[in-house]
Amino acid sequence: MAHVILGLLLIAPQSFYDLIKAFESGVALFYSASSGSIRRALDTLLARGAIEVASVEPGGRGRKVYRVTDDGRAEFRAWMAAEPAGPDLETAALARLYFLGLLEPAERAPVLHRITGRIEADLAALTALDARLDTADLPEEHRDVAAHQRAALDYGIAAHRFMLDWFRAHAARHTPPRP
């Protein structure tokens, strides 16, 4: 969540309300967040010095506009360059893709390469599980349940294959040729 907020604030300084709207209009396509979780992430980023208050509008509400600090910019770049981690690969990959344009063109290909590498690793694990299940002997009373569990595995394999093909094609279209 914090890295997504950093990305949004790198696009433009924003208030808490602006960030909620930014989530609703784009980020929510791959990452859902409540206003409470956005507020907590803002507070954490402020405490770490990754963001700062750029301005406070006069008036009763004192609307604060936040911007990224140099430390926050470095944190965001480190996150973009890191291996996509966690159990939700699709969210990790799409979050990086969404903000890829904030990096210099030469920095983008390695990010896409790490994403495809993670997809390949996860796909290999799913495919290996599929092969092991082919040799498993199931009791008759579990076969109906196992058939639907296997369908979920088949879906996961198909989704990873699609994601891998899509990210490879995107990288081919947007990665400059090597000299």
Side-chain angles (χ1 to χ4, degrees), residues 105-106 109 170-179:
H170 183 78
R173 286 189 309 272
H174 296 282
T175 302
R178 292 186 178 173

Side-chain angles (χ1 to χ4, degrees), residues 97 112 116 161-175:
L97 178 64
L112 292 169
T116 57
R161 285 184 180 142
F162 172 80
M163 192 173 8
L164 182 59
D165 290 345
W166 192 96
F167 271 93
R168 283 179 175 162
H170 183 78
R173 286 189 309 272
H174 296 282
T175 302

Side-chain angles (χ1 to χ4, degrees), residues 137-156:
D137 186 28
L138 291 173
E140 184 63 40
E141 64 270 13
H142 294 186
R143 288 193 181 158
D144 193 41
V145 171
H148 295 285
Q149 292 172 342
R150 198 63 185 267
L153 176 60
D154 290 345
Y155 176 87

Side-chain angles (χ1 to χ4, degrees), residues 1-7 30-31 72-85 91-100 102-103 111 114:
M1 162 74 79
H3 301 108
V4 171
I5 289 175
L6 287 172
F30 61 88
Y31 195 103
R73 195 171 278 102
E75 180 180 330
F76 175 80
R77 295 175 79 74
W79 170 73
M80 287 291 288
E83 296 290 329
T91 298
L94 291 176
R96 284 169 176 80
L97 178 64
Y98 191 82
F99 295 114
L100 199 60
L102 295 173
L103 299 180
V111 172
R114 280 186 286 284

Side-chain angles (χ1 to χ4, degrees), residues 106-130:
E107 297 173 300
R108 296 171 189 167
V111 172
L112 292 169
H113 179 73
R114 280 186 286 284
I115 291 170
T116 57
R118 167 72 193 275
I119 298 167
E120 289 168 345
D122 286 10
L123 177 58
L126 291 172
T127 304
L129 175 60
D130 189 46

Side-chain angles (χ1 to χ4, degrees), residues 38-55:
I38 294 170
R39 169 55 64 201
R40 284 187 298 281
L42 271 176
D43 291 343
T44 300
L45 289 167
L46 272 169
R48 283 202 316 252
I51 63 172
E52 62 189 5
V53 176
S55 64

Side-chain angles (χ1 to χ4, degrees), residues 5 8-9 12-23 38-39 42 51-57 61-67:
I5 289 175
L8 291 170
L9 292 175
Q14 300 179 55
S15 69
F16 173 61
Y17 177 77
D18 296 332
L19 286 167
I20 291 170
K21 292 301 171 193
F23 267 84
I38 294 170
R39 169 55 64 201
L42 271 176
I51 63 172
E52 62 189 5
V53 176
S55 64
V56 179
E57 293 181 4
R61 294 186 134 194
R63 182 174 178 248
K64 295 176 184 176
V65 175
Y66 302 93
R67 69 176 165 218

